[in-house]
Amino acid sequence: MTTPPTTTPGSLRRTGSARGPGSPARPNVTARLGFLLLGGIALLAGLDGALLLLGLAAPIDAVRLSAVHGPLMVFGFVGTVVALERAVAVRRGWAYFAPGLFGGGGIALISPLPVIVGQTALVAGSALLLAIYAEIWRKQGAVSTAVQVLGALAGLMATIFWLRGIGIPQLAPLLILYLVLTIAGERLELSRISPTVNRRAEGWMLGISLNLSFGSVVALVWPVAGYPLLGAGMLALVGWLFRHDVATRLVRSTGLPRYMAGCLLAGYGWLLVVGGIWLLQGPVYSGPAYDALMHAVFLGFVMSMIMAHAPTILPAVLRRPLPYRPVMYLPAVLLHVSLLARVLLGDTYGWPVLVQWGGVFNIVAVLLFVLIAVLSVLLPNGTGLLAAPRGTTVPSSAALRGSLL
């Protein structure tokens, strides 16, 4: 039986106990699929906007899609997925309003409705996500939860400031920390089986997270001082992950654990780019450095996390198997290779054609992974390239309480 690298007995303690007596009825699998579809629509619209920003032809040529590309991807897509997984884990009916607000906000952003409608929905979804974490903390407070709360606070601040008219480039640190700290907190919880993770290691993680949070606030009012703080904090976080995350050991295994660990470590590597830009260049609001910064974290890091955890978390959400298949390496490798061409060659050396082609293959990699995931769910046994390795089994949903990120 293949054991995913993020499934540990300790990981069951965190959110599985958040359900109390008399919990209201929760949406069924069909409703959960509906939330994922809202996130999927936001993803497709965001990718369409990405083509427009690259100066290429897109299926829908609408200026609005390019204007809301960032919030669509961060909140409409990833925010919906994060909130849905948290709602499933906390086992409270009211919690499902969070993914509904994120998904509905994404739809509003691409609709003829005023942009403020979508912005308001994203603010409400972010506030409700914090309420979900409060429920988790009430049942069992932990450093890992505190780190995720800091991430959720960054997300709420970003949505409020965007609603108030501050531009996305100025809010980039908050958008980045929203997802990076959410993931870091989850990795802390899931790395408790590591012999190096003790109270001291947890203290370092909390300290680094607080430093990043402080730096993001300083960066808004005093960028010259805030961005070096962010850069040093991000590099420290990468050091913690490479030192303590169980992925550094499981990458030497086989099958699903190795695939997941490989995606995780590749994603951590892209955070070095983010930390380096903040530390060496300070505030960047446009141009090649901004393109490299944003896509290193949201494609290289976040999408790699999604590719890593989808085979274990989607079954917990949809109660349908998503078997690991070696072909899943194809979109993961394509994502990182095309991003290397885009960032380390196109952005660094000023070759716009490589930025465009790298961006195109970034999109192809994301869509290819979605296609493989959908076909794997619909054809659980699979044939040909979609055939699962012999002896592979899918862990039961009851054993999965980690984040999709």
Side-chain angles (χ1 to χ4, degrees), residues 27-37 317-319:
N28 57 25
V29 173
T30 302
R32 296 179 190 179
L33 180 59
F35 293 130
L36 284 181
L37 288 177
V317 174
L318 297 179
R319 298 179 184 173

Side-chain angles (χ1 to χ4, degrees), residues 37-122:
L37 288 177
L38 290 178
I41 293 172
L43 170 64
L44 293 176
L47 295 178
D48 188 283
L51 287 173
L52 296 174
L53 289 171
L54 289 168
L56 301 171
I60 301 176
D61 188 0
V63 175
R64 181 158 169 169
L65 290 182
S66 59
V68 298
H69 164 71
L72 271 177
M73 297 296 288
V74 175
F75 295 108
F77 168 50
V78 183
T80 300
V81 173
V82 170
L84 177 59
E85 189 280 330
R86 294 289 83 188
V88 171
V90 81
R91 300 184 179 187
R92 295 287 191 180
W94 56 263
Y96 286 88
F97 283 104
L101 287 166
F102 278 118
I107 296 299
L109 289 178
I110 62 178
S111 74
L113 292 171
V115 173
I116 193 173
V117 175
Q119 292 174 317
T120 303
L122 296 182

Side-chain angles (χ1 to χ4, degrees), residues 314-380:
L314 281 180
V317 174
L318 297 179
R319 298 179 184 173
R320 291 273 302 184
L322 175 55
Y324 158 72
R325 307 177 193 280
V327 73
M328 289 177 176
Y329 276 105
L330 180 59
V333 171
L334 180 60
L335 175 71
H336 292 290
V337 170
S338 59
L339 196 56
L340 282 169
R342 175 177 183 167
V343 171
L344 298 187
L345 294 177
D347 286 324
T348 302
Y349 293 100
W351 293 344
V353 66
L354 278 181
V355 174
Q356 286 187 328
W357 279 104
V360 168
F361 281 102
N362 294 159
I363 294 170
V364 170
V366 173
L367 293 177
L368 181 59
F369 180 79
V370 172
L371 178 63
I372 290 173
V374 170
L375 291 177
S376 296
V377 170
L378 297 177
L379 305 170

Side-chain angles (χ1 to χ4, degrees), residues 230-314:
L230 286 168
M234 187 63 72
L235 294 178
L237 178 62
V238 175
W240 191 100
L241 291 169
F242 276 113
R243 172 69 177 87
H244 297 291
D245 199 298
V246 292
T248 56
R249 286 169 286 281
L250 290 168
V251 74
R252 295 186 290 271
S253 59
T254 60
L256 177 60
R258 183 173 187 174
Y259 163 77
M260 293 178 69
C263 290
L264 290 168
L265 295 178
Y268 298 159
W270 283 108
L271 292 183
L272 293 172
V273 175
V274 179
I277 291 174
W278 278 342
L279 190 62
L280 300 177
Q281 291 196 237
V284 289
Y285 303 128
S286 62
Y290 180 74
D291 180 82
L293 172 79
M294 298 300 278
H295 294 97
V297 66
F298 292 118
L299 283 176
F301 178 66
V302 175
M303 282 307 305
S304 195
M305 299 299 108
I306 292 175
M307 289 181 176
H309 291 99
T312 62
I313 302 305
L314 281 180

Side-chain angles (χ1 to χ4, degrees), residues 109-320:
L109 289 178
I110 62 178
S111 74
L113 292 171
V115 173
I116 193 173
V117 175
Q119 292 174 317
T120 303
L122 296 182
V123 171
S126 299
L128 197 52
L129 180 61
L130 272 175
I132 293 174
Y133 280 119
E135 178 71 9
I136 295 172
W137 183 270
R138 185 179 69 85
K139 292 297 182 181
Q140 183 171 1
V143 173
S144 58
T145 305
V147 173
Q148 293 176 73
V149 167
L150 290 174
L153 280 171
L156 178 60
M157 290 174 61
T159 56
I160 292 174
F161 288 147
W162 188 44
L163 177 63
R164 299 284 301 198
I166 298 179
I168 294 299
Q170 287 72 31
L171 297 176
L174 291 173
L175 295 173
I176 290 171
L177 293 187
Y178 166 50
L179 297 181
V180 168
L181 292 183
T182 297
I183 295 165
E186 190 67 29
R187 294 312 304 171
L188 171 60
E189 174 66 24
L190 298 172
S191 292
R192 286 176 179 269
I193 61 172
S194 172
T196 65
V197 175
N198 49 28
R199 285 180 178 249
R200 182 179 179 135
E202 289 186 336
W204 273 105
M205 171 63 85
L206 182 59
I208 292 168
S209 302
L210 289 170
N211 174 80
L212 285 167
S213 299
F214 177 70
S216 68
V217 175
V218 174
L220 285 171
V221 295
W222 191 13
V224 174
Y227 278 82
L229 281 175
L230 286 168
M234 187 63 72
L235 294 178
L237 178 62
V238 175
W240 191 100
L241 291 169
F242 276 113
R243 172 69 177 87
H244 297 291
D245 199 298
V246 292
T248 56
R249 286 169 286 281
L250 290 168
V251 74
R252 295 186 290 271
S253 59
T254 60
L256 177 60
R258 183 173 187 174
Y259 163 77
M260 293 178 69
C263 290
L264 290 168
L265 295 178
Y268 298 159
W270 283 108
L271 292 183
L272 293 172
V273 175
V274 179
I277 291 174
W278 278 342
L279 190 62
L280 300 177
Q281 291 196 237
V284 289
Y285 303 128
S286 62
Y290 180 74
D291 180 82
L293 172 79
M294 298 300 278
H295 294 97
V297 66
F298 292 118
L299 283 176
F301 178 66
V302 175
M303 282 307 305
S304 195
M305 299 299 108
I306 292 175
M307 289 181 176
H309 291 99
T312 62
I313 302 305
L314 281 180
V317 174
L318 297 179
R319 298 179 184 173
R320 291 273 302 184

